[in-house]
Amino acid sequence: MNDYEHYMHIALNEARMAAESGEVPVGAVVERGGEVIAAAGNEREERKDPTAHAEIIAIREAAKQLGGWRLPGCTIYVTVEPCPMCAGAIYQARIERLVFGTIDEKAGAAGTLMDITRDSRLNHQTEVVAGVLAQESATILREFFSRRR
């Protein structure tokens, strides 16, 4: 197992825990230098907050842990391609690398519908690695939504 898969497994565990709480199963991990700085799953239902996506929660916690809003040298691992809000937060935090699992055909903003993360018009671009444990990520989502129908 490579490093990307190791951290993605942690994100997948966060997604599973979110699903058990009735949340859309998305998980995120912020890592720097081999250390997990923050990990979270979606909490929109629990917090009654449309911004409580896994990425936003993990970025906020990482900023708190590191003592600043810039997250240099950090990689964020997300089970699903970030939406525009989360891609914007990744940009704002100056995160170096985004690793995600499955694409999001309806809201993906890291290459599928748009690409906020690598837009050359912005003053920071994020390296993107897509498709890490994509099948596992897609399966968690598919099973969650099939149980809800």
Side-chain angles (χ1 to χ4, degrees):
M1 176 183 336
N2 65 36
D3 286 346
Y4 291 166
E5 290 175 350
H6 170 74
Y7 295 109
M8 189 61 75
H9 277 292
I10 298 169
L12 285 163
N13 189 52
E14 292 290 333
R16 287 183 193 97
M17 290 189 297
E20 290 171 8
S21 298
E23 303 282 352
V24 173
V26 178
V29 171
V30 177
E31 170 269 330
R32 183 169 81 173
E35 178 185 354
V36 172
I37 306 299
N42 272 353
E43 295 182 9
R44 293 185 307 172
E45 300 298 329
E46 177 184 331
R47 294 185 187 209
K48 311 290 187 257
D49 179 354
T51 69
H53 289 202
E55 300 96 309
I56 300 295
I57 297 166
I59 288 169
R60 286 177 179 161
E61 182 59 27
K64 183 178 172 184
Q65 293 298 319
L66 296 175
W69 60 269
R70 290 180 189 92
L71 301 177
C74 288
T75 298
I76 188 166
Y77 297 82
V78 187
T79 57
V80 180
E81 180 180 5
C83 71
M85 175 183 69
C86 293
I90 290 166
Y91 157 74
Q92 290 293 337
R94 309 301 194 261
I95 292 175
E96 185 176 310
R97 181 179 304 110
L98 160 66
V99 178
F100 71 85
T102 191
I103 63 168
D104 184 343
E105 294 177 352
K106 295 181 180 180
T112 299
L113 293 182
M114 62 191 77
D115 197 348
I116 293 170
T117 53
R118 293 175 286 197
D119 190 324
S120 63
R121 296 170 296 178
L122 300 173
N123 65 344
H124 174 80
Q125 288 80 45
T126 300
E127 176 188 347
V128 176
V129 178
V132 175
L133 300 180
Q135 189 61 45
E136 291 90 332
S137 298
T139 298
I140 291 171
L141 282 169
R142 191 171 39 256
E143 288 174 355
F144 174 81
F145 286 111
S146 70
R147 286 191 303 269
R148 304 213 19 141
R149 291 186 182 124

